[in-house]
Amino acid sequence: MITMDDIIREGHPTLREVAKEVSLPLSEEDIVLGEEMMTFLKNSQDPEKAEELALRGGVGLAAPQLNISKRLIAVHVPSNDLENPEPLLSTVMYNPKILSHSVQDVCLGEGEGCLSVDREVPGYVVRHSKITVSYYDAAGEKQKKRLKDYESIVVQHEIDHLNGIMFYDHINEQNPFALKDGVLVIE
Ligand SMILES: OCN(O)CCCc1ccccc1
Ligand code: NI
């Protein structure tokens, strides 16, 4: 079972590598890895489990964060509506690829964090508002999803990890809260 001890932290060279594509058909090893990454996310969002296992809450995880330089990510974005507890997005993505994106950019008003970064790094992380992403699912089926806002931000954060990019690489060093015209701030 994955715990925080398995997550490498900034400074580890693997976080700056470009990860390798996963070979298809998916190996049992890669399928199990995806399942374990999803279980970690669900545990990290469960108050009891998170406390018991000392997990930081996470909505996404990329294999390089486990020192596994492969192009696979897991995302589990919980619902923000008590009426409808279905998660907004919950999937493992193998070889995800952003096919297209909006001209419109967004950022989270509260900035971003990362399970591989044990410090606050304030500032706006400007990303595409909408993306169309293709990927292979755990059944080896090719999928295509159009994502917007928070889900889009999370998937972009994870795909960045596959390319050796950390969220703070996007923050304006001179003025971390500088915003170009038209960038939407999501609170
Ligand atoms: O790479 C996963 N991760 O470090 C956990 C946090 C993910 C995340 C946090 C804020 C905005 C988008 C994504
Ligand atoms: Ni991260």
Side-chain angles (χ1 to χ4, degrees):
M1 171 188 61
I2 298 172
T3 67
M4 294 308 294
D5 295 342
D6 301 302
I7 294 177
I8 60 176
R9 309 298 155 92
E10 61 179 326
H12 191 301
T14 302
L15 288 172
R16 288 305 191 182
E17 283 177 17
V18 175
K20 289 175 186 47
E21 292 227 322
V22 172
S23 49
L24 294 160
L26 296 173
S27 66
E28 183 57 21
E29 181 188 5
D30 288 341
I31 293 171
V32 168
L33 174 58
E35 290 167 349
E36 289 176 343
M37 289 166 67
M38 181 57 76
T39 301
F40 169 84
L41 294 178
K42 290 178 177 173
N43 287 343
S44 81
Q45 294 173 27
D46 174 313
E48 276 96 52
K49 293 248 178 61
E51 191 191 349
E52 180 195 327
L53 299 165
L55 304 181
R56 262 185 69 185
V59 289
L61 189 66
Q65 293 180 276
L66 302 172
N67 199 18
I68 300 172
S69 200
K70 288 182 177 178
R71 301 185 79 81
L72 82 116
I73 68 175
V75 289
H76 187 69
V77 181
S79 159
N80 48 14
D81 163 10
L82 286 179
E83 302 294 300
N84 174 9
E86 279 300 296
L88 292 172
L89 180 66
S90 182
T91 187
V92 177
M93 295 185 177
Y94 295 88
N95 300 336
K97 189 171 171 17
I98 295 175
L99 299 178
S100 62
H101 62 80
S102 58
V103 171
Q104 177 69 54
D105 285 343
V106 291
C107 65
L108 292 177
E110 68 208 23
E112 296 187 11
C114 183
L115 293 171
S116 296
V117 179
D118 294 327
R119 61 192 171 102
E120 298 273 316
V121 185
Y124 288 143
V125 179
V126 177
R127 297 187 186 277
H128 307 309
S129 167
K130 295 183 174 75
I131 59 170
T132 300
V133 59
S134 72
Y135 63 92
Y136 289 89
D137 64 18
E141 299 292 319
K142 189 154 189 183
Q143 304 290 343
K144 193 155 74 165
K145 268 197 168 54
R146 287 178 56 74
L147 301 171
K148 66 179 168 55
D149 300 336
Y150 190 53
E151 296 97 283
S152 167
I153 288 170
V154 172
V155 169
Q156 289 175 75
H157 176 115
E158 304 315 329
I159 292 177
D160 268 356
H161 278 303
L162 305 183
N163 297 319
I165 297 166
M166 302 294 279
F167 74 91
Y168 45 71
D169 297 344
H170 298 284
I171 295 175
N172 180 316
E173 277 186 25
Q174 278 62 46
N175 173 358
F177 294 95
L179 271 184
K180 290 198 188 94
D181 277 357
V183 177
L184 270 179
V185 180
I186 301 179
E187 295 304 341

